[in-house]
Amino acid sequence: MSGTTAQLEHGQVICPYCLEIVIYDERALYVRNDKMQYERLDITKHTNPLRRADVLRGAFQLCGNTEGVAHHYIPVPYLTHGRPLTVAMVGTSGTGKSHLLTQMIAEVTDGGLEPYGVIWQSLNPTDHSVFIKERVATLRAGEQLEATAQTPFAEFVEALLLTGTDGQVRPVAFFDLGGEDLVRTDALLRFLLGVDALVFVVDPLLACALPQLDEAREQYGLAVSKSDPAFETVLDRLPREGGYLDVAMALVVGKADLLRFEPPVDRWLSRPATDPLDPRRLREESRDVYAFLRHHAGPAWLRPFDSTLRCTLHFASATGGQPTHGRFPHGVRSHRVLGPLLSILAMCGLLDEGVDHRSSRVGM
Ligand SMILES: Nc1nc2c(ncn2[C@@H]2O[C@H](COP(=O)(O)OP(=O)(O)OP(=O)(O)O)[C@@H](O)[C@H]2O)c(=O)[nH]1
Ligand SMILES: [Mg+2]
Ligand SMILES: [Zn+2]
């Protein structure tokens, strides 16, 4: 929990965009019309409770803070459920952030969290169906997703309401900026100071000097690099308390299909997708990823792990294979994409499986 979050009073929520405190206010509500423009909503007109609840589900509140920032609107359910959790994907352009996030959300909406006692609902039904149509359905049809465009204002791309076994609902919102935006040092990245969790995506093509990756590197015109500039910028931007960052982190070696014959990656990739969340196994996988990166990548790739007390490490593949001319002709098959999300949810108190978060840190 960040310092500001700890001081919040009942009903107060941090604006995910400008980080000012917001309180739900029925006098500042808007709805989006067919042209995606915001129009004033007079909720007092809706006296039928069922209809009123449905209208509010799709409504937004204008954030009162306009100082130096564009007008921005927060979905009402974000303000009227429990303490929100925000997650940001980090990695330079092309590391696979968007494919990984898409497959994580797809697994959740396929019911992947149900074995853990968590059920989901969309935060905003319209935005959710756009995400499913433009991202999940596209990828499942074998189309590669496009690179994320640069933006003048960082908004989350998808958000869910997750209900845990204790019946508590919490909004969980995901930011997925393009790699070029993530190296900016201006106000665009200020939202990062308020995020609860970060998913660092390591591209083995950039990190690992393994000769079997040379062909793919050549195909993309890539070279092995000492570090990821987006990791560096983001880690540098966040405030540290006592030398450590106060955020939960997952460090994911993505595109693990490219390493599928490489021990110990082969062992992890062949495990069942729905492992019970076991702290011992999280620790084992973290230790294996740590050792793998220590051996095959420069030390800076492990900087996220060294920066926080709450970090687990994972192998994952979002697509199961390489694209050919922008397509996956044999379809996409993800492997272990839910693991990093489960770990973050556990670290942030959304799963009550009793994981001792300090023990999920690798004891090196
Ligand atoms: N082999 C393999 N390729 C992948 C995987 N995930 C993504 N890719 C490929 O990696 C490239 C970049 O993926 P994106 O998800 O768009 O990367 P990004 O990090 O979102 O990039 P920006 O939006 O530009 O920051 C695409 O060519 C994908 O097909 C994977 O699991 N395995
Ligand atoms: Mg992207
Ligand atoms: Zn705001």
Side-chain angles (χ1 to χ4, degrees), residues 90-101 135 139 144-149 176-182 201 203 205 220 254-258 316-323 326 328 333-334 337:
V90 185
T92 199
S93 189
T95 50
K97 301 179 293 298
S98 299
H99 286 73
L100 180 62
L101 178 62
R135 295 245 215 153
L139 192 52
Q144 181 180 261
L145 302 176
E146 284 178 13
T148 310
D176 178 27
L177 268 71
E180 277 138 47
D181 276 341
L182 282 170
V201 184
D203 185 345
L205 294 174
Y220 290 109
K255 305 187 186 176
D257 51 280
L258 293 169
S317 166
T319 63
Q322 282 282 82
F328 299 93
R333 204 162 150 241
S334 63
V337 293

Side-chain angles (χ1 to χ4, degrees), residues 147-341:
T148 310
Q150 285 191 266
T151 177
F153 187 79
E155 278 184 282
F156 42 73
V157 286
E158 168 66 328
L160 301 169
L161 292 171
L162 298 185
T163 310
T165 40
D166 54 2
Q168 285 240 351
V169 186
R170 288 189 62 186
V172 182
F174 298 89
F175 287 94
D176 178 27
L177 268 71
E180 277 138 47
D181 276 341
L182 282 170
V183 290
R184 287 171 56 167
T185 50
D186 56 14
L188 182 79
L189 289 198
R190 192 165 295 142
F191 78 94
L192 280 173
L193 306 183
V195 297
D196 302 283
L198 296 166
V199 178
F200 289 87
V201 184
V202 174
D203 185 345
L205 294 174
L206 298 176
C208 305
L210 286 156
Q212 62 268 43
L213 299 176
D214 285 345
E215 197 186 317
R217 264 193 280 271
E218 222 162 89
Q219 193 186 331
Y220 290 109
L222 297 172
V224 176
S225 162
K226 281 200 173 119
S227 65
D228 182 313
F231 288 17
E232 301 293 329
T233 318
V234 169
L235 290 172
D236 185 46
R237 186 75 180 255
L238 298 178
R240 285 175 192 250
E241 276 169 39
Y244 289 107
L245 303 178
D246 187 23
V247 277
M249 292 185 192
L251 181 73
V252 185
V253 175
K255 305 187 186 176
D257 51 280
L258 293 169
L259 304 163
R260 65 187 174 282
F261 301 120
E262 197 64 39
V265 189
D266 53 351
R267 200 161 57 83
W268 287 106
L269 281 192
S270 60
R271 293 190 90 114
T274 50
D275 269 357
L277 193 62
D278 172 0
R280 199 168 42 99
R281 199 155 22 227
L282 265 176
R283 214 160 40 235
E284 268 172 35
E285 185 174 3
S286 291
R287 194 168 292 160
D288 277 356
V289 178
Y290 187 96
F292 183 83
L293 287 177
R294 274 295 290 261
H295 192 69
H296 295 293
W301 288 93
L302 280 161
R303 266 198 70 210
F305 172 79
D306 297 327
S307 310
T308 177
L309 291 171
R310 294 182 292 156
C311 181
T312 52
L313 294 85
H314 309 258
F315 291 115
S317 166
T319 63
Q322 282 282 82
T324 323
H325 306 301
R327 283 196 56 82
F328 299 93
H330 308 296
V332 288
R333 204 162 150 241
S334 63
H335 298 269
R336 303 190 67 76
V337 293
L338 208 50
L341 180 62

